[in-house]
Amino acid sequence: MAPSNLITLLDSIPPYWGSRTQDVPRAHGRSTTPEGEKQLERQSPLNSAARIKTPLMVVQGANDPRVNKREADQIVIALRDRGFPVEYIVAPDEGHGFQRPVNNMASFAAAEKFLAKYLGGRYQEGATRK
């Protein structure tokens, strides 16, 4: 749920965010100059997939209006085309920020397994609902 393209992320900020519609772009270095836009392009992970050196886990809500699934798909494909280890989890019934407990637990369990695999350690297999 982290942005892969900073330009489209900043373009997706809805007007109902009020004063945040100006604060968020400013915090991310949004500029109205061509140089500023080129800087955002350089900083966007989507455009830097070839430089990623460590295993990556992407957790995506399929209905996310800001961190677009299409862009997440692109970075995952770019990494997999390189034979790079990437774990990709898509929740078909979530948007930006998971709300359903079952999806949160599934993503936490997957992250625990991912971290155990690449950093060492243990994880609990088969979490159950109580």
Short mmCIF file of all heavy atoms in Angstrom, two decimals, residues 5-51:
data_model
loop_
_atom_site.label_atom_id
_atom_site.label_comp_id
_atom_site.label_asym_id
_atom_site.label_seq_id
_atom_site.Cartn_x
_atom_site.Cartn_y
_atom_site.Cartn_z
N ASN A 5 4.06 5.20 -7.82
CA ASN A 5 4.22 6.32 -8.75
C ASN A 5 3.77 7.59 -8.03
O ASN A 5 2.58 7.78 -7.80
CB ASN A 5 3.38 6.07 -10.00
CG ASN A 5 3.59 7.14 -11.05
OD1 ASN A 5 3.76 8.31 -10.75
ND2 ASN A 5 3.55 6.74 -12.30
N LEU A 6 4.72 8.42 -7.67
CA LEU A 6 4.40 9.61 -6.88
C LEU A 6 3.55 10.62 -7.64
O LEU A 6 2.73 11.32 -7.04
CB LEU A 6 5.69 10.27 -6.39
CG LEU A 6 6.52 9.42 -5.43
CD1 LEU A 6 7.83 10.11 -5.10
CD2 LEU A 6 5.74 9.11 -4.17
N ILE A 7 3.71 10.70 -8.94
CA ILE A 7 2.92 11.67 -9.71
C ILE A 7 1.45 11.30 -9.70
O ILE A 7 0.59 12.14 -9.41
CB ILE A 7 3.48 11.80 -11.14
CG1 ILE A 7 4.87 12.45 -11.08
CG2 ILE A 7 2.52 12.60 -12.03
CD1 ILE A 7 5.61 12.47 -12.39
N THR A 8 1.13 10.04 -10.01
CA THR A 8 -0.29 9.66 -10.01
C THR A 8 -0.86 9.66 -8.60
O THR A 8 -2.05 9.94 -8.42
CB THR A 8 -0.51 8.30 -10.70
OG1 THR A 8 0.30 7.32 -10.05
CG2 THR A 8 -0.18 8.37 -12.17
N LEU A 9 -0.03 9.37 -7.60
CA LEU A 9 -0.50 9.45 -6.22
C LEU A 9 -0.94 10.88 -5.90
O LEU A 9 -2.04 11.11 -5.39
CB LEU A 9 0.60 9.04 -5.24
CG LEU A 9 0.29 9.32 -3.76
CD1 LEU A 9 -0.75 8.35 -3.23
CD2 LEU A 9 1.55 9.30 -2.93
N LEU A 10 -0.11 11.84 -6.21
CA LEU A 10 -0.44 13.23 -5.91
C LEU A 10 -1.60 13.74 -6.75
O LEU A 10 -2.38 14.57 -6.28
CB LEU A 10 0.81 14.10 -6.08
CG LEU A 10 1.95 13.76 -5.11
CD1 LEU A 10 3.18 14.59 -5.42
CD2 LEU A 10 1.53 13.92 -3.67
N ASP A 11 -1.73 13.22 -7.96
CA ASP A 11 -2.87 13.61 -8.80
C ASP A 11 -4.19 13.04 -8.30
O ASP A 11 -5.25 13.53 -8.67
CB ASP A 11 -2.64 13.15 -10.25
CG ASP A 11 -1.58 13.97 -10.96
OD1 ASP A 11 -1.23 15.07 -10.47
OD2 ASP A 11 -1.09 13.52 -12.01
N SER A 12 -4.13 12.01 -7.47
CA SER A 12 -5.36 11.34 -7.02
C SER A 12 -5.92 11.90 -5.72
O SER A 12 -6.94 11.41 -5.24
CB SER A 12 -5.10 9.84 -6.85
OG SER A 12 -4.31 9.61 -5.70
N ILE A 13 -5.29 12.90 -5.15
CA ILE A 13 -5.77 13.45 -3.88
C ILE A 13 -7.11 14.13 -4.10
O ILE A 13 -7.22 15.05 -4.92
CB ILE A 13 -4.74 14.43 -3.28
CG1 ILE A 13 -3.47 13.66 -2.94
CG2 ILE A 13 -5.30 15.12 -2.05
CD1 ILE A 13 -2.32 14.53 -2.54
N PRO A 14 -8.14 13.68 -3.39
CA PRO A 14 -9.49 14.22 -3.61
C PRO A 14 -9.67 15.60 -2.99
O PRO A 14 -9.07 15.91 -1.97
CB PRO A 14 -10.39 13.19 -2.93
CG PRO A 14 -9.53 12.58 -1.88
CD PRO A 14 -8.12 12.61 -2.40
N PRO A 15 -10.52 16.42 -3.61
CA PRO A 15 -10.77 17.77 -3.09
C PRO A 15 -11.31 17.79 -1.66
O PRO A 15 -11.05 18.71 -0.91
CB PRO A 15 -11.81 18.36 -4.06
CG PRO A 15 -11.76 17.50 -5.26
CD PRO A 15 -11.25 16.17 -4.85
N TYR A 16 -12.04 16.74 -1.26
CA TYR A 16 -12.63 16.75 0.07
C TYR A 16 -11.58 16.62 1.18
O TYR A 16 -11.91 16.71 2.36
CB TYR A 16 -13.71 15.67 0.22
CG TYR A 16 -13.23 14.24 0.11
CD1 TYR A 16 -12.64 13.58 1.19
CD2 TYR A 16 -13.38 13.54 -1.08
CE1 TYR A 16 -12.21 12.28 1.09
CE2 TYR A 16 -12.95 12.23 -1.19
CZ TYR A 16 -12.37 11.60 -0.10
OH TYR A 16 -11.95 10.30 -0.21
N TRP A 17 -10.31 16.43 0.84
CA TRP A 17 -9.27 16.42 1.86
C TRP A 17 -8.99 17.83 2.39
O TRP A 17 -8.19 17.99 3.30
CB TRP A 17 -7.99 15.81 1.30
CG TRP A 17 -7.97 14.32 1.30
CD1 TRP A 17 -9.03 13.48 1.38
CD2 TRP A 17 -6.82 13.50 1.19
NE1 TRP A 17 -8.61 12.18 1.32
CE2 TRP A 17 -7.26 12.16 1.21
CE3 TRP A 17 -5.47 13.76 1.07
CZ2 TRP A 17 -6.38 11.10 1.12
CZ3 TRP A 17 -4.59 12.70 0.98
CH2 TRP A 17 -5.05 11.38 1.02
N GLY A 18 -9.60 18.84 1.80
CA GLY A 18 -9.46 20.20 2.29
C GLY A 18 -8.03 20.70 2.21
O GLY A 18 -7.38 20.59 1.18
N SER A 19 -7.52 21.23 3.33
CA SER A 19 -6.18 21.82 3.33
C SER A 19 -5.10 20.78 3.04
O SER A 19 -4.01 21.14 2.58
CB SER A 19 -5.90 22.50 4.66
OG SER A 19 -5.88 21.55 5.71
N ARG A 20 -5.38 19.52 3.28
CA ARG A 20 -4.39 18.47 3.01
C ARG A 20 -4.12 18.34 1.52
O ARG A 20 -3.08 17.80 1.12
CB ARG A 20 -4.87 17.13 3.57
CG ARG A 20 -4.81 17.13 5.10
CD ARG A 20 -5.14 15.79 5.68
NE ARG A 20 -4.12 14.82 5.32
CZ ARG A 20 -4.31 13.51 5.34
NH1 ARG A 20 -5.48 13.02 5.69
NH2 ARG A 20 -3.34 12.68 5.01
N THR A 21 -5.03 18.83 0.66
CA THR A 21 -4.80 18.74 -0.78
C THR A 21 -3.58 19.54 -1.19
O THR A 21 -2.98 19.27 -2.22
CB THR A 21 -6.02 19.22 -1.60
OG1 THR A 21 -6.31 20.58 -1.26
CG2 THR A 21 -7.23 18.36 -1.36
N GLN A 22 -3.19 20.52 -0.37
CA GLN A 22 -1.98 21.29 -0.65
C GLN A 22 -0.81 20.79 0.19
O GLN A 22 0.34 20.82 -0.26
CB GLN A 22 -2.23 22.77 -0.36
CG GLN A 22 -3.24 23.38 -1.31
CD GLN A 22 -3.60 24.79 -0.90
OE1 GLN A 22 -2.99 25.36 0.00
NE2 GLN A 22 -4.59 25.35 -1.55
N ASP A 23 -1.08 20.32 1.41
CA ASP A 23 -0.01 19.88 2.31
C ASP A 23 0.67 18.61 1.82
O ASP A 23 1.89 18.50 1.88
CB ASP A 23 -0.55 19.64 3.72
CG ASP A 23 -1.05 20.92 4.37
OD1 ASP A 23 -0.64 22.01 3.92
OD2 ASP A 23 -1.84 20.83 5.32
N VAL A 24 -0.11 17.63 1.37
CA VAL A 24 0.47 16.34 0.96
C VAL A 24 1.41 16.51 -0.23
O VAL A 24 2.55 16.03 -0.18
CB VAL A 24 -0.63 15.30 0.70
CG1 VAL A 24 -0.05 14.02 0.12
CG2 VAL A 24 -1.39 15.00 1.98
N PRO A 25 1.00 17.19 -1.31
CA PRO A 25 1.96 17.37 -2.41
C PRO A 25 3.22 18.11 -1.99
O PRO A 25 4.32 17.75 -2.41
CB PRO A 25 1.16 18.17 -3.43
CG PRO A 25 -0.26 17.85 -3.14
CD PRO A 25 -0.32 17.69 -1.64
N ARG A 26 3.07 19.11 -1.15
CA ARG A 26 4.23 19.87 -0.68
C ARG A 26 5.18 18.96 0.11
O ARG A 26 6.39 19.02 -0.05
CB ARG A 26 3.76 21.05 0.17
CG ARG A 26 4.82 22.11 0.38
CD ARG A 26 4.28 23.35 1.10
NE ARG A 26 3.07 23.86 0.50
CZ ARG A 26 1.91 24.01 1.18
NH1 ARG A 26 1.83 23.71 2.45
NH2 ARG A 26 0.85 24.49 0.58
N ALA A 27 4.62 18.10 0.94
CA ALA A 27 5.44 17.19 1.75
C ALA A 27 6.19 16.18 0.89
O ALA A 27 7.25 15.70 1.26
CB ALA A 27 4.56 16.47 2.76
N HIS A 28 5.63 15.84 -0.27
CA HIS A 28 6.27 14.89 -1.17
C HIS A 28 7.17 15.57 -2.20
O HIS A 28 7.69 14.91 -3.09
CB HIS A 28 5.21 14.05 -1.89
CG HIS A 28 4.62 12.99 -1.02
ND1 HIS A 28 3.61 13.26 -0.12
CD2 HIS A 28 4.90 11.68 -0.89
CE1 HIS A 28 3.30 12.15 0.50
NE2 HIS A 28 4.07 11.18 0.06
N GLY A 29 7.30 16.88 -2.09
CA GLY A 29 8.20 17.59 -3.00
C GLY A 29 7.57 17.92 -4.33
O GLY A 29 8.27 18.11 -5.32
N ARG A 30 6.24 18.02 -4.38
CA ARG A 30 5.57 18.33 -5.63
C ARG A 30 5.94 19.73 -6.08
O ARG A 30 5.91 20.67 -5.32
CB ARG A 30 4.05 18.23 -5.48
CG ARG A 30 3.26 18.42 -6.78
CD ARG A 30 3.56 17.25 -7.69
NE ARG A 30 2.99 17.26 -8.99
CZ ARG A 30 1.94 16.54 -9.36
NH1 ARG A 30 1.27 15.82 -8.50
NH2 ARG A 30 1.55 16.55 -10.61
N SER A 31 6.28 19.86 -7.32
CA SER A 31 6.65 21.14 -7.88
C SER A 31 5.87 21.34 -9.17
O SER A 31 5.52 20.38 -9.84
CB SER A 31 8.15 21.15 -8.18
OG SER A 31 8.49 22.29 -8.92
N THR A 32 5.61 22.56 -9.51
CA THR A 32 4.92 22.84 -10.76
C THR A 32 5.89 23.01 -11.92
O THR A 32 5.49 23.26 -13.04
CB THR A 32 4.05 24.11 -10.63
OG1 THR A 32 4.91 25.19 -10.23
CG2 THR A 32 2.95 23.91 -9.61
N THR A 33 7.16 22.86 -11.64
CA THR A 33 8.17 23.02 -12.69
C THR A 33 8.45 21.68 -13.36
O THR A 33 8.28 20.62 -12.76
CB THR A 33 9.49 23.56 -12.11
OG1 THR A 33 10.05 22.56 -11.25
CG2 THR A 33 9.27 24.85 -11.34
N PRO A 34 8.90 21.70 -14.62
CA PRO A 34 9.29 20.44 -15.28
C PRO A 34 10.38 19.70 -14.51
O PRO A 34 10.38 18.47 -14.46
CB PRO A 34 9.78 20.89 -16.65
CG PRO A 34 9.12 22.21 -16.88
CD PRO A 34 8.98 22.84 -15.52
N GLU A 35 11.30 20.44 -13.90
CA GLU A 35 12.37 19.80 -13.13
C GLU A 35 11.80 19.07 -11.92
O GLU A 35 12.27 17.99 -11.57
CB GLU A 35 13.40 20.84 -12.66
CG GLU A 35 14.16 21.53 -13.78
CD GLU A 35 13.37 22.69 -14.40
OE1 GLU A 35 12.45 23.24 -13.75
OE2 GLU A 35 13.66 23.02 -15.56
N GLY A 36 10.81 19.68 -11.28
CA GLY A 36 10.17 19.06 -10.13
C GLY A 36 9.46 17.78 -10.50
O GLY A 36 9.51 16.78 -9.77
N GLU A 37 8.77 17.78 -11.64
CA GLU A 37 8.08 16.57 -12.11
C GLU A 37 9.09 15.47 -12.44
O GLU A 37 8.87 14.30 -12.14
CB GLU A 37 7.21 16.88 -13.32
CG GLU A 37 6.04 17.79 -13.03
CD GLU A 37 5.04 17.20 -12.05
OE1 GLU A 37 4.47 16.13 -12.33
OE2 GLU A 37 4.84 17.81 -10.97
N LYS A 38 10.21 15.85 -13.04
CA LYS A 38 11.25 14.85 -13.36
C LYS A 38 11.83 14.26 -12.08
O LYS A 38 12.15 13.07 -12.04
CB LYS A 38 12.34 15.49 -14.22
CG LYS A 38 11.89 15.72 -15.63
CD LYS A 38 13.00 16.35 -16.46
CE LYS A 38 12.45 16.65 -17.85
NZ LYS A 38 13.38 17.40 -18.66
N GLN A 39 11.96 15.08 -11.04
CA GLN A 39 12.45 14.58 -9.76
C GLN A 39 11.48 13.56 -9.18
O GLN A 39 11.89 12.51 -8.67
CB GLN A 39 12.68 15.72 -8.77
CG GLN A 39 13.15 15.29 -7.40
CD GLN A 39 14.53 14.65 -7.42
OE1 GLN A 39 15.34 14.89 -8.30
NE2 GLN A 39 14.79 13.81 -6.43
N LEU A 40 10.18 13.84 -9.23
CA LEU A 40 9.19 12.87 -8.74
C LEU A 40 9.25 11.58 -9.55
O LEU A 40 9.10 10.49 -8.98
CB LEU A 40 7.78 13.47 -8.81
CG LEU A 40 7.44 14.51 -7.75
CD1 LEU A 40 6.06 15.08 -8.01
CD2 LEU A 40 7.52 13.91 -6.36
N GLU A 41 9.46 11.68 -10.84
CA GLU A 41 9.60 10.48 -11.67
C GLU A 41 10.81 9.67 -11.21
O GLU A 41 10.73 8.45 -11.10
CB GLU A 41 9.75 10.85 -13.14
CG GLU A 41 8.46 11.30 -13.79
CD GLU A 41 8.63 11.69 -15.24
OE1 GLU A 41 9.65 11.33 -15.86
OE2 GLU A 41 7.73 12.38 -15.75
N ARG A 42 11.92 10.33 -10.95
CA ARG A 42 13.13 9.63 -10.50
C ARG A 42 12.91 8.97 -9.14
O ARG A 42 13.48 7.92 -8.86
CB ARG A 42 14.31 10.60 -10.42
CG ARG A 42 14.92 10.94 -11.76
CD ARG A 42 16.24 11.68 -11.60
NE ARG A 42 16.14 12.92 -10.85
CZ ARG A 42 15.83 14.11 -11.39
NH1 ARG A 42 15.60 14.22 -12.69
NH2 ARG A 42 15.77 15.20 -10.64
N GLN A 43 12.12 9.59 -8.27
CA GLN A 43 11.90 9.07 -6.93
C GLN A 43 10.84 7.97 -6.87
O GLN A 43 10.74 7.28 -5.85
CB GLN A 43 11.48 10.21 -5.99
CG GLN A 43 12.59 11.18 -5.72
CD GLN A 43 12.10 12.35 -4.90
OE1 GLN A 43 11.27 13.13 -5.35
NE2 GLN A 43 12.61 12.45 -3.69
N SER A 44 10.07 7.81 -7.92
CA SER A 44 8.99 6.81 -7.92
C SER A 44 9.56 5.40 -8.04
O SER A 44 10.30 5.11 -8.98
CB SER A 44 8.01 7.09 -9.07
OG SER A 44 7.33 8.30 -8.85
N PRO A 45 9.23 4.52 -7.10
CA PRO A 45 9.73 3.14 -7.17
C PRO A 45 9.44 2.45 -8.50
O PRO A 45 10.24 1.66 -8.98
CB PRO A 45 9.01 2.45 -6.02
CG PRO A 45 8.72 3.54 -5.05
CD PRO A 45 8.43 4.75 -5.91
N LEU A 46 8.31 2.76 -9.10
CA LEU A 46 7.95 2.14 -10.38
C LEU A 46 9.02 2.36 -11.44
O LEU A 46 9.31 1.48 -12.25
CB LEU A 46 6.61 2.69 -10.87
CG LEU A 46 6.08 2.15 -12.18
CD1 LEU A 46 5.89 0.64 -12.13
CD2 LEU A 46 4.77 2.84 -12.53
N ASN A 47 9.65 3.52 -11.39
CA ASN A 47 10.68 3.85 -12.38
C ASN A 47 12.08 3.43 -11.92
O ASN A 47 13.06 3.70 -12.62
CB ASN A 47 10.65 5.35 -12.67
CG ASN A 47 9.33 5.76 -13.26
OD1 ASN A 47 8.73 5.03 -14.03
ND2 ASN A 47 8.84 6.92 -12.87
N SER A 48 12.16 2.80 -10.77
CA SER A 48 13.46 2.37 -10.24
C SER A 48 13.51 0.88 -9.95
O SER A 48 14.36 0.43 -9.20
CB SER A 48 13.76 3.14 -8.95
OG SER A 48 13.79 4.52 -9.20
N ALA A 49 12.60 0.12 -10.53
CA ALA A 49 12.52 -1.31 -10.23
C ALA A 49 13.83 -2.03 -10.51
O ALA A 49 14.19 -2.97 -9.80
CB ALA A 49 11.38 -1.95 -11.01
N ALA A 50 14.56 -1.59 -11.51
CA ALA A 50 15.83 -2.24 -11.86
C ALA A 50 16.89 -2.06 -10.77
O ALA A 50 17.84 -2.83 -10.71
CB ALA A 50 16.35 -1.71 -13.19
N ARG A 51 16.70 -1.08 -9.90
CA ARG A 51 17.69 -0.81 -8.85
C ARG A 51 17.35 -1.48 -7.52
O ARG A 51 18.13 -1.43 -6.58
CB ARG A 51 17.84 0.69 -8.65
CG ARG A 51 18.42 1.37 -9.87
CD ARG A 51 18.89 2.79 -9.61
NE ARG A 51 18.13 3.53 -8.63
CZ ARG A 51 17.50 4.67 -8.86
NH1 ARG A 51 17.52 5.21 -10.06
NH2 ARG A 51 16.85 5.30 -7.92
#
